[in-house]
Amino acid sequence: MPRKFFRKYLPDAAEIRANRYFARFGNLLHHPNLWHLNRDSVAGAVAIGLFAGLVPGPLQMLTGALLAILLKRNLPVTLLTTFYTNPFTIVPLYVLAYGYGTLLLGGNHG
């Protein structure tokens, strides 16, 4: 049931390939894992999206898209997952990362 729910909101692969802006990428967007919702493709896409979400500045989606195409993981899920870092969540994420760093590296809380 969740697969059918998400499938109606995800873009169709043929529609994306026919778009004039994406047509210049040629065969890069033809791999089935870039568009199918299966366990391996989505799990890898979430991991790529979480990693790319921490890239600074406006390069998050570009990094996510390039890694998803390179590693053959679900492209829409990757791009959607990069949105977990937004102006409301980025500060707590970096504070949490700093806390983990000081805990693991033995930082001094003076």
Side-chain angles (χ1 to χ4, degrees):
M1 180 171 138
R3 183 182 292 186
K4 289 180 184 178
F5 174 76
F6 289 117
R7 186 166 303 278
K8 77 177 154 179
Y9 294 110
L10 289 175
D12 184 34
E15 193 176 297
I16 296 292
R17 288 185 212 120
N19 188 323
R20 66 182 175 143
Y21 296 112
F22 295 116
R24 67 180 74 163
F25 295 111
N27 290 333
L28 286 176
L29 299 177
H30 289 288
H31 197 277
N33 269 351
L34 291 175
W35 309 105
H36 288 186
L37 290 174
N38 58 30
R39 186 179 305 165
D40 294 332
S41 182
V42 171
V46 170
I48 292 169
L50 292 175
F51 172 75
L54 293 176
V55 172
L59 301 174
Q60 296 172 341
M61 291 183 76
L62 179 64
T63 304
L66 290 176
L67 287 174
I69 291 170
L70 181 70
L71 298 174
K72 307 284 193 271
R73 298 295 178 237
N74 193 298
L75 186 59
V77 173
T78 298
L79 297 178
L80 186 67
T81 308
T82 60
F83 288 133
Y84 83 97
T85 53
N86 58 49
F88 299 110
T89 61
I90 193 68
V91 174
L93 283 171
Y94 278 116
V95 169
L96 184 67
Y98 176 77
Y100 282 147
T102 56
L103 178 72
L104 293 173
L105 297 176
N108 193 354
H109 291 95

